[in-house]
Amino acid sequence: MNIIQFESAEDMLKWAGPFLTDQPGLHNRPLGELHAWARIQRERPGDHFRPHILGAEHEGTPVGLVTWKPPGPASLVLDPAQREPGAAALAAFIAREIGDLGRVLAPAADLQALSEAWNPGHLAPVEMENWAYRLDQLIPPRPARGHMRPATLADQAVIAAWAEKFAGEAFVGLQIPFASFEAVGRMIAHDVYRIWEADGIPVAMAQYLRPTPTGVVIGMVYTPHAQRGRGYATNLTAAMCRERMDQGDQYLALFTNAANDTTNRIYPSLGFQFVGAVPMANFQGIPFAPSNRPK
């Protein structure tokens, strides 16, 4: 098993090829991150932007990868046929060359393999159970009052406040950073937010995340408590799907908290299909001890 440390996100995308792109709904996080990092490295070559980008290959074939820009979570993808040796090789390289792991987000079986390779006697605790969905065919929802529009700088304060509330609800008990007022302004300039407006008032928001040449994730879907139960977020999600499909996107994906019964009922009603569990575990403070087998 050979480990390759890439400096260029674009080189990783070329190396990984179909190994990463064949399941964009399940693997969109590393796929979208790599496309974003490649763009940054092209546009700002002097910034010394160097996230951790690792590939594992067996007999010249990609069988695993880790993408990671601290302090954010690492993303992990492993080939099922080489899951255990791939996880062991990546874990050993990270421990030797990087030193520590924090949070890791990955398909459930891949995350389990990495945890067992890192320290089988002290498995990393899962902090959040996430479900991944992919849209194949949109099912129109019952219409709600209002319409979708792009966010403008006039919405900056509202979006920043809603982003904080969204993070508090979606990541209960976790120190997950949310978008600051300044960051929201920058992202509005990149046209990633959509607002559902009813009677001239913003009543829901959502965001396009991790775009790739073939698709995008819809995330941070939020409706204030006083406006819930009226179909605003459902119609906003559907309108965003139509917008991207009209632009030629081949896939649309989203992630939910597995414990949120409401979202896991609404999104399938729009045609989203469950593609897999993608939990997040925390390796912080767990020593690398691959021989630490329980007796």
Side-chain angles (χ1 to χ4, degrees):
M1 191 71 63
N2 183 39
I3 300 299
I4 306 170
Q5 188 167 22
F6 293 88
E7 291 193 359
S8 162
E10 196 149 353
D11 287 348
M12 164 61 93
L13 286 167
K14 293 175 183 176
W15 172 84
F19 171 69
L20 189 57
T21 58
D22 277 355
Q23 296 189 69
L26 189 62
H27 299 154
N28 177 270
R29 189 172 190 274
L31 183 61
E33 284 179 334
L34 285 166
H35 278 285
W37 296 347
R39 185 171 58 253
I40 291 170
Q41 290 176 332
R42 285 194 305 270
E43 295 174 354
R44 307 202 303 263
D47 280 6
H48 303 291
F49 181 81
R50 293 291 183 270
H52 301 301
I53 306 173
L54 307 177
E57 65 178 14
H58 176 65
E59 298 179 349
T61 300
V63 297
L65 61 85
V66 171
T67 59
W68 182 21
K69 184 179 180 299
S75 295
L76 166 73
V77 178
L78 294 168
D79 181 345
Q82 294 287 334
R83 182 172 281 134
E84 285 72 25
L90 285 165
F93 185 92
I94 291 168
R96 183 177 68 251
E97 302 295 335
I98 300 173
D100 198 6
L101 263 177
R103 292 186 170 105
V104 179
L105 194 145
D110 296 350
L111 188 64
Q112 178 72 15
L114 181 66
S115 189
E116 291 177 353
W118 189 265
N119 188 329
H122 188 174
L123 299 182
V126 172
E127 292 186 329
M128 188 173 182
E129 295 281 0
N130 305 287
W131 285 356
Y133 290 87
R134 174 175 174 167
L135 182 69
D136 291 321
Q137 184 172 354
L138 180 65
I139 301 172
R142 177 183 298 177
R145 191 174 76 256
H147 64 278
M148 182 182 78
R149 63 168 176 80
T152 70
L153 287 176
D155 303 304
Q156 186 173 1
V158 168
I159 293 174
W162 287 357
E164 182 176 3
K165 291 178 180 178
F166 172 85
E169 293 182 14
F171 310 118
V172 178
L174 303 178
Q175 297 298 315
I176 303 293
F178 53 88
S180 66
F181 181 82
E182 293 76 14
V184 167
R186 291 193 296 270
M187 288 188 284
I188 287 174
H190 286 93
D191 196 33
V192 302
Y193 292 114
R194 293 295 180 268
I195 296 290
W196 191 264
E197 184 174 285
D199 301 323
I201 300 171
V203 293
M205 73 166 185
Q207 179 182 358
Y208 291 124
L209 297 166
R210 300 188 290 278
T212 75
T214 57
V216 72
V217 170
I218 295 174
M220 209 171 76
V221 183
Y222 181 79
T223 307
H225 283 274
Q227 304 290 353
R228 292 180 182 177
R230 304 178 190 185
Y232 295 145
T234 304
N235 276 264
L236 175 58
T237 303
M240 293 173 73
C241 291
R242 284 192 293 268
E243 180 177 58
R244 296 299 297 206
M245 288 189 294
D246 288 346
Q247 294 175 11
D249 277 0
Q250 298 172 24
Y251 75 88
L252 291 158
L254 54 79
F255 293 84
T256 69
N257 186 326
N260 190 324
D261 293 336
T262 300
T263 57
N264 290 305
R265 182 183 72 252
I266 289 174
Y267 295 132
S269 77
L270 292 173
F272 281 91
Q273 303 295 315
F274 175 79
V275 294
V278 188
M280 181 172 68
N282 195 343
F283 288 73
Q284 188 171 9
I286 299 176
F288 177 64
S291 61
N292 187 19
R293 296 279 173 190
K295 302 295 184 185

